[in-house]
Each structure stands twice: as structure tokens, then as C-alpha cells.
Amino acid sequence: MVVQDGRALERRSVAAERVVQTGLNDSWSCRSQLTSVARDRGALSACHLFIPADMSKDGLILPNDFPQLQNDTFLRAARGEETEHVPVWCMRQAGRYLPEFRESRAGKDFFDTCRSPEACCELTLQPLRRFPFDAAIIFSDILVIPQAMGMDVQMVAGKGPTFPDPLKEPEDLQRLQAKVDVDKELGYVFKAITLTRHKIEGKVPLIGFTGAPWTLMSYMIEGGGSRTFSKAKRWLYRHPEASHMLLRMLTDVIVEYLLGQVAAGAQALQVFESHAGILGPVEFQEFSLPYLRDIARCVKDKLKEAGKDIPMIVFAKDAHYGLEDLSQSHYEVVGLDWTIDPRSARERTGGKVSLQGNMDPCAFYAPKERISDIVKKMLEGFGTRGYIANLGHGLYPDMDPESVGAFVEAVHQHSKQMIKQK
């Protein structure tokens, strides 16, 4: 990338104006095309198509001029193709278990960090310097979407994400910004993705992500974390129409947000339905699954128009009752938590999708030799094709980085041996 001595560089598009001034300055523009897609529950709009600009005359490197990808194992596995080994990455692989992460984050506000492309890039790259992961996931947070819609979200030490003024009644929906200019409100995420794609130098693919509508809704109403999320579930039973209105609003923003991430350089996308397990099967069918399907369908339709094919992953934690439905929800990969037996998951999904997961994160507290045995058993259950090794949830702050290294090494070694023996 070209250093511009701190000068601001501007490029305009019909969708938004972005001024990028990051030290290593980059600039790119997007065009958006608004379409309406009829859905089972009404009209779902905001399927915007973002098209990155070409290389400019002044030599700026833009999102369509990235280093060539050297390791596509993760992408091939996502599409169910044969690989030389099972690819592996970890949710929260850029996290507090790393001393360098804690040092980088010391004394800094969490969301200020999220809004710094340079900081997000550095945190994303840190685990790749330690471990031979087969993919990276951009450092950010799912709650940037409620922020973009006008809600105040704070990360409180010892408490976690907090909404000082959560949604209480349906009329509170009027407080939300229904039509969000994602380029303006979330452009810092796009800049972080573009910068990271260049800095990663093609070593592995970069994953973009979002929270799913129900998970975001539950935070926005509950005001933070909860064991029961009873305030959010109260809406589903008492205010079903308002609940669907909020879920549709979130879906609109999420679709634009994911398309913007792809335009910025994301090579795969993951949708986190982290609170699926709070719902029962009936509520999941009504308040989660339709919107997960809408997101994948709309994103893929618009990417297809642009000639892009980006694999998508859905991770609905604790939604063991929904495996069959999730395998037919237009995602290439279904992520699994540790409560699901690998062989059962293969049988229930019928080979329709690749699978990702699902080692219990607490297995990292075991000795290295035991970690290797657990990995081997997991691989035997999933098989080596159409499989991405991961955890059933994210890494915990008190975990030993050496255990993470042992996990990655075991996945690579055991899977290579299993493939050779075929």
C-alpha cells in the first residue's frame, strides 16, 4: 500500500463518501443497488450490492488487488472438496488468552479498538504468527450493528456488553435508525478487512462475520448478557408483530453489512446465532430460522449477480433440534457446538453441507497428549472430507496458548495420516 504522508484521500461513490486516513492510507468506493426480495413474512429489502472500485491512477491498492491466496484448504473444505489435511481455526482465536493481545488492548476501550482498522488488523494477525491456522477471522464484535442503528453499547469490565437504555416496549423501535448507511456507520470494519487482506499476504483466507437477528435482538432488549433472556423472550410472546419488525430491520442491515465485508475483501462469512439455545424448537422455527435463511439467500443472490462465490457458515449454538433445517438453509457449512455427536450430525445433515466444530473448549485444560487423543476421536467421527476443525464455542481467556498449538498440530497430523490411509 502507498504511504501518503498523512494526507486524506477521497473517492466518491453513489452510495457513500469515504475518507481514509490510516497511516497506511487506502481508499475505495462502493455502489449499492437496492432491491426488494419477497419473503414468507413480507418484503425484505436492503439487498445491496457493493462493487469495489478499480485501481486508481495514483497507484492506491484497492480491495480488488490483493496478494494471491497461498492456502485455500479452508475454502475447499467449506465447499466439500478434497483436501490434503483437515483445515482448522478457532472462534476467538484473536483473544485474551494471548499475552500479546492483552498487551495490545491494555487501557483501551473495547469499541474504540473495534473502530480502529489498524488495531483490528494487528489483533487478527497475532494468532497467525503463533499457530499455522488455515483461516483468520477479522477482529470485531457482533454488537457493532446495534450501535450502527443508534443504540449505545458499552463494554463494561467484569460485566461484558451493556446497553444503558435497552428496548423495553414496541414503541422504542422508533428510536432505531431503520435504514442504515453501512458504509458510513460500519466503514471502519470494511477498512479493517481491506487492510488485513493486504497485511495477511495471502497466507490464509479471511473470514468476515455478523451476529444473527435473534441474537442481536436478545441483547438489544435484555440490555446485556443473561442466563434466561426472559425480557427478550417476553417480546416474542407478548409482542410477536413488533418482534418480527425488529428482526426484519436487523436482517436488512445484516445483509448490507455482509455484502460490504465481501466487497472489502472477506473470503468467507460466518453468521453467529449464539443465543439459538435460548429458544425452543417452535420459537426457533418462527423467530430465528426464517431470518437466517433470508440472510444467506439474499447475500448469495447479490453475490451471484456480481460473479462472486463466497462460502457461508451458520453457527447456531445449542440448536441441536434444528440441524436438519440448518443444513437446508442455503449455507455451505453448519457449525456445531460440543453437545452434538459428530456421527449423528453427519447422518442428520445427509451430506448436504460441510460441518465445522466441535471440540469442547474446556478440553484445552487437558494435557497435550490428551488433547491429541480427543482430536483424533473427533476426526474419526466427522471424517476428513467436508469438515473444518474448530471448537464448539470460543476460546476462554485463561487458556494456555500451548494447548491451542497442540490442538492445531493434532488436527493437521492426524488428518494427514487418515487421508493417506484411505
Side-chain angles (χ1 to χ4, degrees):
M1 304 182 75
V2 179
V3 178
Q4 296 293 328
D5 297 326
R7 290 184 294 117
L9 301 171
E10 291 190 22
R11 288 176 61 87
R12 293 181 180 270
S13 69
V14 297
E17 173 180 329
R18 171 176 295 155
V19 180
V20 183
Q21 194 169 21
T22 64
L24 286 175
N25 289 288
D26 62 339
S27 171
W28 57 281
S29 62
C30 306
R31 293 177 306 197
S32 64
Q33 175 183 348
L34 179 63
T35 63
S36 295
V37 180
R39 291 295 180 252
D40 296 338
R41 300 191 176 278
L44 173 66
S45 61
C47 298
H48 287 196
L49 174 61
F50 290 79
I51 304 174
D54 296 326
M55 176 77 76
S56 64
K57 293 181 180 179
D58 56 9
L60 289 175
I61 298 177
L62 303 175
N64 57 341
D65 188 24
F66 295 117
Q68 185 175 358
L69 182 61
Q70 302 166 26
N71 176 4
D72 66 347
T73 310
F74 165 82
L75 297 177
R76 284 187 286 135
R79 297 187 176 103
E81 301 171 9
E82 291 186 0
T83 58
E84 295 74 29
H85 64 267
V86 168
V88 56
W89 68 282
C90 291
M91 289 180 278
R92 291 201 201 121
Q93 64 188 35
R96 287 177 288 169
Y97 74 100
L98 290 175
E100 57 268 36
F101 180 96
R102 297 194 298 270
E103 182 179 352
S104 298
R105 287 271 302 107
K108 299 175 183 175
D109 178 78
F110 177 80
F111 285 110
D112 284 347
T113 299
C114 290
R115 286 186 283 269
S116 167
E118 298 87 353
C120 291
C121 175
E122 168 60 20
L123 296 173
T124 301
L125 296 178
Q126 283 179 352
L128 299 182
R129 298 185 185 119
R130 278 185 177 256
F131 315 114
F133 284 123
D134 294 288
I137 185 165
I138 193 67
F139 179 82
S140 186
D141 193 85
I142 64 172
L143 298 181
V144 297
I145 289 181
Q147 287 180 330
M149 296 176 73
M151 295 195 76
D152 181 19
V153 188
Q154 303 170 8
M155 193 64 70
V156 178
K159 185 178 179 182
T162 301
F163 290 68
D165 190 16
L167 305 177
K168 296 181 179 66
E169 299 296 336
E171 50 266 30
D172 290 337
L173 296 181
Q174 298 176 16
R175 291 162 36 199
L176 299 178
Q177 186 174 335
K179 294 190 178 297
V180 175
D181 183 342
V182 296
D183 190 69
K184 176 183 177 183
E185 301 295 339
L186 296 166
Y188 57 86
V189 179
F190 305 152
K191 295 172 191 175
I193 289 172
T194 299
L195 179 60
T196 304
R197 272 295 305 274
H198 286 294
K199 290 287 190 177
I200 212 169
E201 298 177 338
K203 290 184 176 66
V204 295
L206 180 63
I207 305 168
F209 71 92
T210 182
W214 158 245
T215 293
L216 296 178
M217 172 182 169
S218 64
Y219 274 119
M220 293 163 74
I221 295 172
E222 202 73 27
S226 168
R227 291 185 179 181
T228 64
F229 282 93
S230 58
K231 295 177 183 177
K233 291 184 69 176
R234 173 180 175 270
W235 269 54
L236 305 183
Y237 292 103
R238 182 168 291 189
H239 309 299
E241 291 184 3
S243 295
H244 282 299
M245 183 180 298
L246 177 54
L247 291 165
R248 280 193 292 269
M249 291 170 64
L250 287 162
T251 298
D252 288 354
V253 179
I254 287 167
V255 168
E256 287 197 63
Y257 182 45
L258 291 176
L259 289 170
Q261 290 187 52
V262 173
Q267 293 155 291
L269 299 169
Q270 177 152 319
V271 179
F272 285 87
E273 187 67 291
S274 305
H275 297 164
I278 299 297
L279 302 173
V282 174
E283 290 72 34
F284 179 77
Q285 288 282 341
E286 181 174 359
F287 296 104
S288 174
L289 185 63
Y291 300 99
L292 291 173
R293 285 175 170 163
D294 283 344
I295 290 166
R297 194 158 42 198
C298 190
V299 168
K300 287 185 174 297
D301 284 350
K302 300 313 298 181
L303 290 179
K304 185 176 180 180
E305 291 180 16
K308 290 180 177 290
D309 180 20
I310 302 295
M312 296 182 69
I313 307 164
V314 59
F315 176 60
K317 187 176 182 297
D318 297 324
H320 51 84
Y321 48 75
L323 266 186
E324 291 84 355
D325 289 321
L326 289 168
S327 70
Q328 301 177 68
S329 57
H330 311 290
Y331 294 84
E332 283 80 7
V333 184
V334 174
L336 308 173
D337 62 72
W338 67 89
T339 66
I340 300 173
D341 177 72
R343 288 183 174 85
S344 173
R346 282 292 189 198
E347 182 178 348
R348 292 173 61 189
T349 55
K352 300 181 186 71
V353 292
S354 294
L355 298 176
Q356 177 177 277
N358 71 335
M359 193 163 116
D360 184 349
C362 290
F364 279 13
Y365 297 128
K368 293 180 183 179
E369 298 77 14
R370 177 66 178 139
I371 292 174
S372 180
D373 292 340
I374 295 171
V375 167
K376 183 178 180 181
K377 184 177 180 180
M378 181 175 71
L379 289 168
E380 290 171 349
F382 281 110
T384 56
R385 184 162 182 171
Y387 173 53
I388 299 164
N390 205 312
L391 304 179
H393 199 253
L395 287 161
Y396 302 150
D398 64 344
M399 287 177 168
D400 187 346
E402 291 190 7
S403 296
V404 179
F407 171 66
V408 175
E409 181 181 8
V411 170
H412 285 162
Q413 288 185 351
H414 288 308
S415 64
K416 286 177 181 178
Q417 292 173 359
M418 291 171 66
I419 292 170
K420 285 182 181 179
Q421 292 171 0
K422 284 186 176 180

